[in-house]
Amino acid sequence: MRHPTRRFGVLLFAAVALACGGDREAADRPAQPPDEVLATHLAGLHASDLTTAARERGLVCQPPARERDQTHWICEARTPLTSYLFEFYGKVPGRLEYIRLVISQSGPPKLEHTGPWLGYLASLRYEGADAEAARTWIEAHLDGGGQTTIGTAKLKLSGDMSRLVTEIKAPGSEW
């Protein structure tokens, strides 16, 4: 037998829910478990690893800049025919949320300008990374672009070989 006070509490809750625009069925259902929590950063990556890789590939990195509650790193290089913009964001250097690489080419686009960078991005070591799957996916989507999830990261390719944009982000980040 239910306790009268408990039954009154349930009825009161249902009445308040209905009065506030809820429905009786929702008030009678048990609470559902919360949805899966999405990763808000790319665990395992650090800003110093990315800036080191950028410098090794000839890019010049600016000091990090604070933008609202994020830090923004920018590394870039330009030649007469190719420009590289490599940027990434995170709350702190060890909690990167978003990485973006834009490679723009003038004249006939050459894979030799994009290939090494795409290989590097595919090989990033974050939680759940799969370098072979990332490399295969990138190669298959160079012409048409697209997006996928590998491990705890969303990968996106857009543009074409004259202006290729590669993005990697944590699925639960603001980016």
Side-chain angles (χ1 to χ4, degrees):
M1 180 172 161
R2 288 188 180 174
H3 191 278
T5 307
R6 180 179 166 92
R7 183 165 172 79
F8 176 74
V10 171
L11 291 173
L12 179 61
F13 174 76
V16 170
L18 287 171
C20 294
D23 63 62
R24 185 182 243 2
E25 290 176 19
D28 291 340
R29 281 192 300 257
Q32 297 296 318
D35 291 336
E36 180 182 337
V37 177
L38 298 175
T40 57
H41 70 283
L42 300 164
L45 289 180
H46 196 278
S48 62
D49 298 329
L50 298 182
T51 55
T52 298
R55 287 182 182 117
E56 288 172 352
R57 288 163 177 78
L59 276 61
V60 176
C61 297
Q62 301 171 10
R66 204 68 186 150
E67 295 178 7
R68 292 184 229 143
D69 65 340
Q70 296 280 324
T71 301
H72 182 198
W73 290 264
I74 297 175
C75 303
E76 53 192 334
R78 297 184 198 293
T79 68
L81 297 178
T82 308
S83 69
Y84 301 90
L85 172 62
F86 184 48
E87 59 185 339
F88 39 100
Y89 294 83
K91 294 198 185 314
V92 295
R95 293 182 64 88
L96 299 179
E97 297 180 27
Y98 176 74
I99 300 167
R100 180 173 176 249
L101 172 66
V102 180
I103 302 174
S104 300
Q105 299 183 66
S106 299
K110 297 181 180 178
L111 187 58
E112 65 197 48
H113 297 290
T114 57
W117 268 104
L118 296 176
Y120 168 70
L121 292 177
S123 71
L124 288 177
R125 294 183 183 157
Y126 56 85
E127 188 176 290
D130 181 340
E132 189 58 36
R135 187 179 285 73
T136 301
W137 183 85
I138 288 172
E139 289 172 359
H141 292 84
L142 270 177
D143 291 329
Q147 55 188 8
T148 191
T149 300
I150 297 178
T152 57
K154 287 186 174 184
L155 279 70
K156 181 179 178 183
L157 280 177
S158 57
D160 58 28
M161 290 298 288
S162 63
R163 185 175 188 278
L164 186 63
V165 180
T166 309
E167 298 171 278
I168 302 172
K169 75 180 264 318
S173 78
E174 300 170 4
W175 298 96

